[in-house]
Amino acid sequence: MDAFVWDQRYMTGEAQVDGEHQELVRIINALIDLQSKYASPETVTQVLDQLVNYAVVHFAHEETLMAESHCDPRFIERHTAVHRSFAEQVVRLRDSSADGSDLEYLLNFLTGWLAQHILGMDKAMVRQIELIRGGNSPQAAYDAAAKITTDPATSSMLDAMASLYRIISARNDALSELNRGLEAKVAERTEALKESNRRLLESEHRRSTETRRNLELFLSQIIDGDPVPTLVIDASHRITHWNKACANISGLPAERMVGTWDQWMAFYPAARPIMADLIVDGSLEERFNTYYHNLFRRSKTIEDAFEAESFFPNLGENGRWLFFTAAPIRDGEGRIIGAIETLQDVTDRHLAEDELLKYQEQLEAQVEARTRELASTNRQLEREHAELTTLLGKIDETQQQLLQSEKMAAIGQLAAGVAHEINNPVGFVNSNLGSLKSYTGNLLRLIDAYESGEPQAIAAARQAADLEFLREDLPSLLAESQEGLDRVTRIVQDLKDFSRVDQAEHQRADLNAAMNSTLNVVRNELKYKADVIVELGDIPEIDCVPAQLNQVFMNLLVNAAQAIPERGKIFVRSGVERDHVWFEIEDTGCGMSAETRQRIFEPFFTTKPVGKGTGLGLSISYDIIVKRHHGRLDVHSETGKGTTFRIWLPIVQSAET
Amino acid sequence: MSRILIVDDEISILKALQRLLRVAPCVYGNKQFSLEVVACEFPSEALKHARQGEFDLFISDYRMPEMDGIEFLKQARALQPDAARLILSGYADLNALVRAVNEVGIERFIGKPWNDYELMSAIAQALAHRELLLENRQLADLVRVEMGDKTAEQIEAERLERLEPGITRVNWGPDGSVVLDDDN
C-alpha cells in the first residue's frame, strides 16, 4: 500500500492541530510499513494502540480548542460525535483485525477517514475559530462555515469519501453485529454443550456408580442366595462375603463375620488357616499337607481350585461332614486378590453311606441267611423229590400191580367160571369112575361066579351086580364120562386159545375167531345170566394184537352179563364198514345213567360193590382200542333197557404202530 | 328109606350122583341108610317136588340158571324146615359160602370134584343128625305131654305146621274174608 502523503491541502492553519495531524499520518505510515513487512501481530497491535491513544489525545485537544474558542455548540456536538464514532470504529477494527488479516482494510479506512476529516470537519473548525476570533458570533461563524463550499473536486471527493466511509461503517457495523450475534451464539452453544457435557458426565458417573453398586449387590445376592455355604476372603484374608447358608451351617451370622479374619472360628476350636487362606497365600501344597493330611486334591472342574472332605466335630450337634472347595479369585492381570470357598454339607451322604453300608451288611446277612434257608429248602426239596420219586415209583408199581390185579381179577373171574366148568365134568367123570369101579368089581365077581360054575353063586352075583341095570347104565356112564373129558379138553383148549402167548404180538388175525374163543371161555360165565346170540359177519383179518382184544371182548362180555339182573340176552355181532371192522356187544341189562356213562372210561371208576371190580376193565379196554389200535369205542346205553358197546378197528394200522 | 332131592343144572352130574347113591353104602356109625333119590335139572322143578313130598335132605348145586343154590335152599327150607341141606358146588366163592351158612344153615359144603366116600359120609352124617334131632324133639314132646307142658293138640299142631307151614294159622283179610295162598 502506498504511504499517506502529507501535502499543503491538509494544513488548517492551526499549528497544534496540524502538528498532531502530521503525527497521526506518521503513525499510519508506520503501520503501512509494518503491514508490508509482514510484522508480527503483536507489533501491529502495539502500533495500533499507539495510534488509538494518540487519536484520543488529539481529539481531546480539538474539543478543548473548540470549547476555548466558543464554537457553536451544534458544531462541537457534531464534531465530538464524529470523534466518538471514529474511536469506536478503530477500536472495533483493531480488535477484529488483531490477527492482521484485515489490516489492509483498516489502513484504508484510517487513511480515508483522516483525509476526509482533516479536509472537512477540522478545516471547518479552524475557519469558525478564526471567525470568532475575528469577532463574529459563534452562530454566525457556524453558519458562515456551513455556507462555505469547498472546490468541487475536493467536495465530490469528500462526498464520495463520506459515503464510502458510511458504507464501510455500516458494513462494519453489520459485520460487527453479525460477529457479535455469532459470538453470542457460539458462546450460547458452547455453554449448552458444556452443560450437556457436564450432565452427560454426571449421568455417566452416576450410572457407572449404580452399575457397580448393582453388580456388587448382584454378586452379593448370588453368593448370599446360593444354597451352598460360601465365603469369600480378600487378599488380606479378610472376609468379604459370608452367605446365609454359610451362616446357617456355622451358626455365625454374616454381620459377625464379614470384615473380620475369624473364618477359622466356624470350623476349628483354635485359630488356623482354612483352605481359602492357603489359596490366597499361594502356599498351596506344602501347607495343605500340614493342614489337610493328603486329604485334599485338585478340583477336576475348576482350575487352581482344591477340594477336600473332612469331618468337623464342632459343627452342629453331632459334627458334620463337609466337602469344601477353595478357588482363587484373580484380577485382570492374574494376581490373586482373594479366594472363594464353598462348603457342602455331605453329612447326609455320609450317614446314608453308613446306612447303606449297614444296610448292605444287613442285606448280606439276609442273603446269607436266605441262602442257608434256600440251601436247606433245597436239600429238603431234594429229599422231598427223592421221596416223591420213590412215591412215584411206588405209584407206578402200584399201577402196574393194579393193572396186574385187574388182569388177575379178570382171570380170577374167569378161573371161577372155568373152575366151575372144569370141576363139573371132572366131578362127574371122577364119580363115574368110582361107580365104574364098583360096576367092574361086580362084573368081575359075576365072571368069577360063572367061572366057578356054581348056579347059586352065579345067581347071587347076578343079583348083586344088577346086570340089567349095568347093561343099561354102563354105556351112558362111559358116554357121559367121555363127553365130560371132551368138555375139559375143550375148555383147556379155549383157555389156551384165549391166552395164547403167540397172540401177544402185532399180527394179522381173524377177530371172529378171537371172539369165538373168548366166548367159549366166558360162556360158562354168561350162561347163568343170559342167552348169548352170536351174529358174526364176514370180516377180513386185521392188524392187531389178538390177546389184547380178547381181553377187551372178555371185559365187555362179562360186564354185559353182570349188567343183567336176572336173565337177559347178549347179542354179539360183527361186520365191516369201509376200512374198519366193528364188533358190537349188546345186552338187555340195566343200562347206565348219563353220569355213569360219562365216567365209565375213568380208571378206578366202578359201580360194582367193593371187592367185586377194580374199576380198570373199561379204562384198559379204552386204552387198548383207542391208543394201541387207533380205533374207537362207542357206547349207547339206556337206563333199564340195556347197553351197547361198539368197537371200531382199522383194518390196516398206520405205519407208525 | 331116606328121601334125597338133588338139584344140578348138569345132567351128567345128576346121573353120576344117582349111580353113586345107588351103589355106595350110606352108613353112619352102625346105622345104614337106604336112599331114594330124586334128581332135578332145574330148581323150580325141585321146589315142585318139595311141595309134593317130604325129603330128608336137599343137595343143591350153587350156580344154576333161574336161581342159585342158596335161593333154592332158602325156599326149600321154608317148605321143609326139618330137612337137612347140603351144597355141592365147583364154585368156591367165599361170599357164597358165607351166605350159605348164615342164610340157609347148610349142613355141609362139598366142592366139586367130590370124593365119593366123603360125599357119602356127609350125606350119612346129615341124615343121622337129622334123625337124632327129630328123635330128640319127639322125646321132648313126649316128656312135655307127660309133664303137662304141652297138650297133644299142640304137638299135633306143631307137626302139622311142620308138614305144611302156615296151616295152623288163618290169614284174615281186612274185610273178614279168609285169604288163601295161591302162589303154590
Side-chain angles (χ1 to χ4, degrees):
Chain A
M1 181 175 176
D2 295 333
F4 197 110
V5 182
W6 182 264
D7 66 31
Q8 282 305 306
R9 280 191 307 150
Y10 297 119
M11 295 297 280
T12 59
E14 195 76 31
Q16 190 191 358
V17 171
D18 285 338
E20 285 175 5
H21 282 166
Q22 281 175 352
E23 178 61 18
L24 282 171
V25 168
R26 194 195 57 83
I27 294 172
I28 289 172
N29 280 336
L31 269 175
I32 290 168
D33 189 40
L34 283 175
Q35 193 239 354
S36 64
K37 286 179 186 164
Y38 301 105
S40 69
E42 288 85 13
T43 317
V44 173
T45 307
Q46 212 176 342
V47 176
L48 268 176
D49 289 345
Q50 194 187 340
L51 175 66
V52 171
N53 292 337
Y54 194 79
V56 170
V57 170
H58 165 65
F59 292 155
H61 285 161
E62 273 187 2
E63 285 158 20
T64 310
L65 183 66
M66 278 188 297
E68 285 170 353
S69 305
H70 305 293
C71 282
D72 193 289
R74 286 176 289 179
F75 185 75
I76 294 172
E77 192 187 344
R78 233 179 86 206
H79 199 170
T80 309
V82 170
H83 281 164
R84 296 261 188 289
S85 160
F86 174 78
E88 286 172 17
Q89 290 287 336
V90 170
V91 169
R92 205 181 301 149
L93 280 174
R94 184 196 61 190
D95 289 345
S96 71
S97 58
D99 54 356
S101 63
D102 266 350
L103 189 62
E104 189 173 337
Y105 171 74
L106 175 65
L107 288 174
N108 277 338
F109 172 75
L110 285 175
T111 50
W113 188 82
L114 193 59
Q116 189 255 349
H117 188 69
I118 291 167
L119 288 178
M121 196 66 84
D122 286 349
K123 275 195 172 181
M125 179 190 72
V126 171
R127 261 188 314 267
Q128 285 183 42
I129 289 165
E130 279 170 358
L131 282 171
I132 290 164
R133 279 170 190 161
N136 287 324
S137 72
Q139 287 89 1
Y142 175 72
D143 289 339
K147 279 182 197 154
I148 291 173
T149 48
T150 52
D151 64 295
T154 311
S155 171
S156 65
M157 194 206 67
L158 281 174
D159 285 347
M161 282 293 288
S163 82
L164 179 68
Y165 167 69
R166 272 195 306 276
I167 290 167
I168 288 170
S169 176
R171 182 175 157 263
N172 239 358
D173 282 352
L175 274 173
S176 295
E177 194 58 33
L178 193 66
N179 212 20
R180 260 201 314 280
L182 279 173
E183 274 174 4
K185 268 189 191 161
V186 165
E188 197 181 326
R189 190 70 50 87
T190 306
E191 199 54 37
L193 279 172
K194 265 187 193 163
E195 178 62 23
S196 139
N197 205 23
R198 191 183 56 78
R199 279 201 213 124
L200 208 62
L201 277 174
E202 200 172 288
S203 92
E204 194 59 35
H205 178 71
R206 206 167 47 236
R207 208 171 57 209
S208 84
T209 314
E210 205 168 307
T211 306
R212 203 173 63 238
R213 208 172 41 241
N214 281 344
L215 208 62
E216 277 172 6
L217 194 64
F218 185 54
L219 183 64
S220 282
Q221 276 177 354
I222 287 180
I223 293 180
D224 221 27
D226 193 351
V228 179
T230 306
L231 65 97
V232 180
I233 59 171
D234 62 16
S236 72
H237 299 268
R238 200 166 53 95
I239 299 170
T240 59
H241 289 89
W242 187 270
N243 77 352
K244 279 186 188 128
C246 195
N248 283 344
I249 201 170
S250 63
L252 298 168
E255 304 87 82
R256 162 73 185 81
M257 301 305 287
V258 172
T260 70
W261 287 266
D262 296 338
Q263 50 265 41
W264 57 269
M265 201 179 273
F267 312 105
Y268 305 106
R272 55 158 278 190
I274 67 168
M275 192 183 261
D277 292 321
L278 301 186
I279 294 267
V280 168
D281 286 348
S283 56
L284 297 168
E285 268 129 63
E286 67 272 24
R287 288 178 77 200
F288 264 133
N289 279 336
T290 314
Y291 288 107
Y292 292 101
H293 316 294
N294 290 324
L295 284 174
F296 74 98
R297 62 169 186 265
R298 278 187 181 277
S299 167
K300 283 174 193 159
T301 48
I302 308 164
E303 210 183 332
D304 287 347
F306 284 79
E307 51 193 29
E309 192 170 314
S310 184
F311 184 70
F312 294 91
N314 296 337
L315 277 180
E317 280 181 29
N318 303 312
R320 307 212 72 88
W321 278 93
L322 293 181
F323 176 77
F324 44 101
T325 309
I329 301 175
R330 297 177 192 277
D331 64 8
E333 283 150 26
R335 286 190 301 265
I336 293 177
I337 56 165
I340 180 165
E341 181 164 340
T342 58
L343 317 163
Q344 284 180 57
D345 186 350
V346 290
T347 311
D348 287 346
R349 200 193 72 206
H350 272 273
L351 286 179
E353 275 174 7
D354 289 350
E355 284 285 305
L356 213 61
L357 270 175
K358 225 183 289 175
Y359 188 58
Q360 198 176 340
E361 276 167 25
Q362 212 171 327
L363 274 182
E364 272 170 15
Q366 269 180 10
V367 165
E368 208 175 319
R370 192 61 56 87
T371 307
R372 271 200 305 278
E373 264 173 47
L374 279 176
S376 98
T377 310
N378 207 21
R379 277 198 299 281
Q380 199 175 333
L381 276 177
E382 270 170 19
R383 251 196 328 271
E384 275 171 17
H385 183 249
E387 274 170 30
L388 278 178
T389 310
T390 317
L391 271 177
L392 206 62
K394 275 185 190 163
I395 286 175
D396 232 25
E397 206 175 301
T398 311
Q399 197 178 4
Q400 288 303 318
Q401 280 173 356
L402 272 170
L403 284 178
Q404 196 61 30
S405 93
E406 157 62 20
K407 218 172 188 175
M408 293 308 287
I411 288 168
Q413 207 166 24
L414 200 65
V418 167
H420 190 255
E421 287 317 301
I422 287 180
N423 286 341
N424 260 345
V426 169
F428 68 75
V429 169
N430 191 34
S431 181
N432 282 348
L433 280 176
S435 299
L436 187 59
K437 189 178 162 193
S438 90
Y439 289 179
T440 317
N442 287 345
L443 283 175
L444 287 175
R445 277 192 290 280
L446 184 58
I447 289 168
D448 287 342
Y450 273 113
E451 280 177 349
S452 69
E454 290 175 28
Q456 267 183 340
I458 291 170
R462 278 188 72 110
Q463 172 117 35
D466 196 353
L467 199 62
E468 298 311 313
F469 175 79
L470 285 186
R471 233 188 266 284
E472 189 193 329
D473 192 40
L474 256 177
S476 79
L477 183 152
L478 289 172
E480 284 162 25
S481 299
Q482 186 74 56
E483 189 267 338
L485 288 176
D486 284 350
R487 257 161 68 186
V488 172
T489 312
R490 202 171 61 243
I491 287 166
V492 171
Q493 188 58 51
D494 284 344
L495 272 179
K496 270 164 78 181
D497 286 349
F498 178 77
S499 57
R500 256 165 53 188
V501 177
D502 61 357
Q503 294 196 337
E505 287 165 13
H506 258 286
Q507 57 191 269
R508 292 192 77 81
D510 177 5
L511 283 185
N512 276 345
M515 178 58 97
N516 275 327
S517 86
T518 307
L519 273 171
N520 284 337
V521 171
V522 296
R523 180 167 282 141
N524 314 308
E525 198 73 10
L526 307 182
K527 68 179 179 188
Y528 301 105
K529 284 295 196 59
D531 300 318
V532 180
I533 296 117
V534 181
E535 300 164 344
L536 297 178
D538 272 341
I539 57 167
E541 292 190 337
I542 71 162
D543 290 333
C544 62
V545 183
Q548 290 179 353
L549 292 176
N550 279 345
Q551 196 176 345
V552 174
F553 292 154
M554 189 182 80
N555 262 321
L556 295 178
L557 288 167
V558 169
N559 280 349
Q562 287 174 340
I564 297 170
E566 292 294 329
R567 189 160 188 87
K569 285 178 177 163
I570 295 175
F571 298 90
V572 179
R573 306 183 189 99
S574 69
V576 61
E577 211 173 289
R578 288 201 295 278
D579 51 351
H580 281 70
V581 298
W582 54 264
F583 278 84
E584 196 172 79
I585 292 159
E586 180 185 341
D587 66 59
T588 58
C590 57
M592 289 180 276
S593 66
E595 302 94 67
T596 307
R597 193 166 66 243
Q598 279 179 352
R599 300 189 57 194
I600 51 175
F601 295 123
E602 287 177 21
F604 308 114
F605 176 78
T606 180
T607 56
K608 298 171 192 173
V610 176
K612 283 286 180 185
T614 58
L616 288 170
L618 280 177
S619 157
I620 288 168
S621 300
Y622 185 86
D623 190 68
I624 289 169
I625 297 296
V626 176
K627 295 205 182 140
R628 303 190 193 191
H629 287 85
H630 308 99
R632 228 165 67 211
L633 186 50
D634 296 344
V635 194
H636 175 79
S637 183
E638 209 172 312
T639 313
K641 295 235 174 125
T643 303
T644 306
F645 280 91
R646 187 179 261 240
I647 298 166
W648 292 90
L649 291 164
I651 293 168
V652 179
Q653 291 288 330
S654 51
E656 66 201 83
T657 52
Chain B
M1 180 72 69
S2 300
R3 280 169 59 82
I4 298 175
L5 180 62
I6 304 175
V7 193
D8 200 311
D9 61 333
E10 174 75 64
I11 296 173
S12 297
I13 297 274
L14 291 176
K15 295 189 81 168
L17 287 174
Q18 279 173 308
R19 288 183 189 107
L20 176 66
L21 294 176
R22 183 179 155 274
V23 296
C26 185
V27 181
Y28 182 76
N30 49 11
K31 183 156 176 71
Q32 166 127 27
F33 297 96
S34 62
L35 306 172
E36 184 190 335
V37 175
V38 176
C40 296
E41 201 184 339
F42 302 101
S44 53
E45 186 195 346
L47 286 173
K48 209 184 275 174
H49 280 285
R51 284 191 202 95
Q52 286 162 0
E54 193 181 354
F55 288 94
D56 303 290
L57 176 64
F58 294 109
I59 298 176
S60 174
D61 188 12
Y62 174 61
R63 289 177 63 144
M64 295 176 292
E66 290 182 6
M67 67 179 75
D68 63 19
I70 291 162
E71 190 57 38
F72 164 74
L73 289 177
K74 246 187 201 169
Q75 294 189 25
R77 184 174 70 167
L79 293 171
Q80 302 193 23
D82 291 336
R85 289 168 295 276
L86 209 150
I87 282 182
L88 178 66
S89 175
Y91 184 74
D93 180 342
L94 181 65
N95 272 344
L97 208 61
V98 169
R99 276 178 71 208
V101 172
N102 294 351
E103 295 177 26
V104 190
I106 55 166
E107 195 89 19
R108 286 290 175 92
F109 186 103
I110 298 161
K112 288 175 185 170
W114 64 90
N115 180 298
D116 284 348
Y117 177 75
E118 277 178 12
L119 179 62
M120 290 316 291
S121 307
I123 289 172
Q125 203 176 343
L127 289 174
H129 188 219
R130 178 183 176 269
E131 221 159 66
L132 201 64
L133 278 176
L134 289 180
E135 199 181 331
N136 263 351
R137 191 161 64 205
Q138 215 169 348
L139 289 171
D141 283 345
L142 278 176
V143 171
R144 286 191 191 103
V145 171
E146 274 172 23
M147 292 174 65
D149 284 355
K150 266 186 185 171
T151 60
E153 287 77 21
Q154 274 177 319
I155 288 163
E156 180 59 18
E158 281 174 9
R159 193 189 67 83
L160 286 172
E161 185 64 33
R162 277 198 296 277
L163 276 177
E164 194 67 47
I167 198 166
T168 58
R169 287 187 299 277
V170 177
N171 195 2
W172 298 100
D175 53 354
S177 58
V178 174
V179 179
L180 299 173
D181 286 345
D182 58 353
D183 51 346
N184 297 318

